[in-house]
Amino acid sequence: MVNQPLKFINHCIEEYALEASYDPGTDTGSVIYNLSFVRNEDFEDVLPIIRKVFGSGLSVSDRILFAGSGEMIGAVRVPDGCAGVCTVCSITLDAVLLRHGVPLNPIGGGMVEMEKGVPLRFTNIILYRDTTIDPLEVLISQGTTSILDVTEHGSGKILANIREYHMEAEAMAGELLDEFTACGFSGILDVGAPNVPLLGVPVRPQYLGVVMAGGTNAMAAIRESGYRVATEALKGVMDIREMNHIRDY
Amino acid sequence: MSGTFSHSERKYIEILRILRESRQPVGAKRLSELMAEQGFVMSARAIQYYLRHLDSKGFTRKVGNMGRVLTEQGLSETDNALVDERIGFIISKLEKLAFRSTFNPETGTGDVAYNLSIVREEDIDGVIEASAEVVRAGCGFFSTSTVTDDDPRVPEGHTGLITLCSVTLDGVLQHMGIPVDLEFGGRLAISRDGTSAFTDLIRYQGTTIDPLALFISAGLTSVSSVIAGGEGVVLANVREVPYPAKDRVEDAIAQMKDCGFAFPEGVKSHSCTIPEHPYRLPVTAYSGMNHIANATEKGYEIKTEIGAGTIRFSKIVDSI
């Protein structure tokens, strides 16, 4: 048994920020990904669900990678009988802002209540500095998401996360957020004002919050539909060129 | 939605919470007393005003002259509103229970904190057996669980199962005059050679959902494999005390062991994966939720209120 002190998620995010080189200006470089497995026999049924969630803007970006049994994703071999699904992790946003020198604190992950397509409030949250497991990885299995409802009539509960950055960096961060959106990162749900709580979550003095849809919403929707899916968030970094557009599938 | 609350309106939420805990309708006068118990001083007249507002939002409903009850919408509001305040609520509730746990490990008397699990009547024998397995494997917080049939929180067709809650330990230490902070709920990996190490931790101060409940429903325990082969992942929690209290804490734990409580071996050996603090000593206890985790792994559907109240220790022991 390896007995090193456990690493909390805020520290993991900072370490990934040193690795992920994605540049939203040129749409190149490496992004942080989540890895999920679904059963091969479910794959044909699961694909339309993923498309639906991506189409509703509840994914981080429009990129995705599917891998068959036996293929390698990073250091992980996709198990027999399963298909691997890689989606972009929302922490990529934090990593890129940190790399540009934006004073940023990743706050936490939780569930956001949506009403008619508009995010209303966080209903649950786990703070990154207080957990060694990705909040969305545990929240996905609480049976309390209703992502399919949101894709159908705009109301329900989804997975999302929040970070805050200093208002001094607002111009630079705003530009980066615009570039992200232009590159197909559709998951930016809300940007707050300085000193004002965003969706019920307080921010530090002179900071403003940004809420992003969780990278695992599609997997949560698959689970809601009754299919088995195993998900590990923050699995590693990969070049964005290895991923494809969801519309290509 | 018109009916959500901003932070200045936390008294509304507190009223909803009180109504949620109550089985019968509650009138304004009684609500005023119960609000005072939560630290909110309000006159019955002021409560009347708040209640009319809650009625108009559809969160409460009048039942004749008997008082108000929660509506379905009001119930869900207590789960969803004021996320940043609810982050602190989990720990405050456990601290309240710790303070009310007056258990004296020297005499084996006083009150202990418990969790209340709601089990379908047809499942109860299987769940009790699952709980007994945990005790035999030595990773339950206490050596027995008890069935209750007179708790008003247990609905028709169900049985209440009482397991002792590990904040009983915090109460014991606190009443000895030792400052104690309940820090983490975690997954503790046990190896065949008897050593153990945490593989995940969630700080109580940083979540709106109890960490141990999260781990159970996420399927991240393997209590059954500890029972079968001595190796697997169980639930435990960590509190921190000042280092100079080490000897007294060890004495208290030894006395609690004599009363039927179980602890991971050695105060220090398993704490190496906990981030170290120079002046504070982490103290680990098995969670009472291990009993429930094992039953959940077997496929039983169980709803548990963690830290449901305190009960005389003799009532638990006599039931054996």
Side-chain angles (χ1 to χ4, degrees):
Chain A
M1 207 176 276
V2 186
N3 285 335
Q4 278 181 335
L6 290 166
K7 209 180 281 173
F8 287 76
I9 295 293
N10 56 333
H11 299 133
C12 299
I13 293 172
E14 286 172 2
E15 289 183 13
Y16 273 124
L18 299 172
E19 274 186 66
S21 61
Y22 183 69
D23 174 8
T26 56
D27 194 20
T28 55
S30 56
V31 294
I32 303 161
Y33 66 91
N34 305 315
L35 178 56
S36 304
F37 299 114
V38 296
R39 290 188 294 200
N40 278 336
E41 65 262 39
D42 295 340
F43 189 76
E44 287 305 312
D45 299 333
V46 155
L47 191 55
I49 300 172
I50 296 176
R51 269 202 211 103
K52 204 172 184 180
V53 174
F54 273 59
S56 308
L58 299 179
S59 63
V60 172
S61 99
D62 57 4
R63 308 302 167 83
I64 195 160
L65 174 69
F66 296 109
S69 306
E71 283 183 51
M72 295 297 289
I73 297 176
V76 179
R77 188 181 162 276
V78 179
D80 293 335
C82 286
V85 186
C86 280
T87 54
V88 177
C89 180
S90 46
I91 298 306
T92 304
L93 175 70
D94 303 62
V96 169
L97 292 181
L98 283 167
R99 275 180 88 87
H100 279 81
V102 173
L104 173 131
N105 310 307
I107 299 178
M111 312 226 343
V112 164
E113 185 176 358
M114 305 280 291
E115 196 181 67
K116 301 195 183 86
V118 179
L120 197 64
R121 58 182 172 181
F122 273 91
T123 61
N124 277 303
I125 194 163
I126 303 174
L127 304 180
Y128 289 132
R129 62 160 188 258
D130 294 320
T131 177
T132 64
I133 188 165
D134 188 286
L136 303 193
E137 201 178 315
V138 281
L139 288 170
I140 197 174
S141 49
Q142 301 300 305
T144 42
T145 59
S146 45
I147 288 145
L148 290 172
D149 289 346
V150 179
T151 61
E152 270 150 38
H153 29 84
S155 300
K157 284 182 187 162
I158 65 163
L159 303 167
N161 48 40
I162 178 165
R163 72 280 299 141
E164 59 182 0
Y165 62 82
H166 200 285
M167 57 185 278
E168 196 61 25
E170 205 172 345
M172 181 200 269
E175 208 171 291
L176 285 167
L177 289 178
D178 287 345
E179 287 175 359
F180 266 111
T181 311
C183 293
F185 281 70
S186 56
I188 298 164
L189 292 179
D190 208 350
V191 181
N195 301 308
V196 181
L198 183 58
L199 304 186
V201 178
V203 293
R204 295 186 195 186
Q206 303 195 350
Y207 276 68
L208 58 140
V210 181
V211 174
M212 181 120 176
T216 50
N217 275 321
M219 305 309 136
I222 291 170
R223 203 179 268 255
E224 281 173 27
S225 313
Y227 298 101
R228 291 239 308 256
V229 55
T231 293
E232 281 183 62
L234 294 169
K235 201 58 203 169
V237 296
M238 74 162 62
D239 196 299
I240 188 89
R241 282 171 303 190
E242 288 182 43
M243 293 187 146
N244 302 303
H245 287 91
I246 182 74
R247 59 171 185 268
D248 295 339
Y249 289 98
Chain B
M1 194 195 288
S2 57
T4 59
F5 289 106
S6 68
H7 201 263
S8 57
E9 295 169 307
R10 57 175 294 192
K11 284 178 186 168
Y12 286 110
I13 296 297
E14 207 55 50
I15 292 174
L16 295 182
R17 249 185 222 143
I18 290 171
L19 291 175
R20 181 194 179 120
E21 307 252 307
S22 170
R23 287 285 137 184
Q24 298 108 16
V26 188
K29 189 160 173 296
R30 179 74 186 127
L31 266 173
S32 161
E33 293 162 11
L34 293 168
M35 282 292 278
E37 278 180 24
Q38 303 298 322
F40 295 94
V41 178
M42 293 170 78
S43 68
R45 184 185 292 261
I47 298 265
Q48 284 287 8
Y49 168 80
Y50 275 72
L51 286 172
R52 274 199 293 276
H53 187 65
L54 288 170
D55 285 348
S56 73
K57 289 202 168 200
F59 293 146
T60 55
R61 180 167 58 80
K62 235 178 146 173
V63 183
N65 288 329
M66 302 195 301
R68 297 301 204 287
V69 292
L70 272 194
T71 60
E72 208 44 48
Q73 206 188 335
L75 189 68
S76 99
E77 190 65 12
T78 59
D79 279 335
N80 294 332
L82 305 187
V83 74
D84 71 312
E85 190 216 319
R86 290 203 341 270
I87 282 188
F89 198 70
I90 295 218
I91 187 77
S92 300
K93 183 178 173 185
L94 292 175
E95 282 170 346
K96 172 166 125 185
L97 272 179
F99 185 72
R100 289 185 180 178
S101 304
T102 55
F103 182 67
N104 180 339
E106 214 176 326
T107 58
T109 56
D111 293 350
V112 290
Y114 68 91
N115 309 317
L116 178 64
S117 298
I118 310 292
V119 182
R120 279 192 303 236
E121 248 158 31
E122 63 266 33
D123 293 345
I124 188 70
D125 290 338
V127 172
I128 288 175
E129 176 48 30
S131 165
E133 285 176 6
V134 173
V135 172
R136 287 196 292 270
C139 56
F141 176 60
F142 186 63
S143 57
T144 184
S145 52
T146 309
V147 166
T148 172
D149 37 23
D150 59 354
D151 194 298
R153 288 169 290 189
V154 179
E156 273 302 292
H158 292 72
T159 306
L161 185 72
I162 287 180
T163 51
L164 293 200
C165 174
S166 48
V167 298
T168 301
L169 169 65
D170 302 66
V172 166
L173 300 178
Q174 218 165 304
H175 289 290
M176 287 167 69
I178 298 171
V180 46
D181 279 318
L182 184 58
E183 282 283 312
F184 303 107
R187 303 164 61 212
L188 186 69
I190 297 181
S191 322
R192 219 159 261 141
D193 60 9
T195 59
S196 54
F198 279 100
T199 54
D200 273 307
L201 294 169
I202 299 180
R203 194 176 272 118
Y204 282 98
Q205 294 278 14
T207 172
T208 55
I209 305 178
D210 186 281
L212 304 183
L214 276 173
F215 289 131
I216 292 180
S217 51
L220 291 169
T221 63
S222 54
V223 179
S224 53
S225 55
V226 174
I227 292 164
E231 192 168 65
V233 175
V234 302
L235 299 171
N237 53 27
V238 182
R239 66 277 300 134
E240 288 181 352
V241 298
Y243 234 102
K246 183 167 191 261
D247 293 346
R248 295 175 64 202
V249 171
E250 283 173 349
D251 290 347
I253 286 179
Q255 286 173 340
M256 284 181 78
K257 281 182 178 169
D258 291 340
C259 297
F261 295 88
F263 291 88
E265 279 312 313
V267 173
K268 267 305 271 177
S269 65
H270 49 270
S271 58
C272 35
T273 52
I274 303 171
E276 214 167 300
H277 191 288
Y279 305 119
R280 313 204 78 201
L281 174 73
V283 180
T284 302
Y286 286 127
S287 166
M289 291 300 285
N290 282 331
H291 301 252
I292 305 308
N294 188 35
T296 305
E297 286 171 25
K298 288 177 191 292
Y300 295 109
E301 269 179 48
I302 303 171
K303 255 193 179 169
T304 300
E305 185 184 351
I306 295 180
T310 54
I311 187 170
R312 287 238 156 261
F313 183 60
S314 56
K315 272 187 137 174
I316 301 285
V317 181
D318 292 348
S319 71
I320 301 172

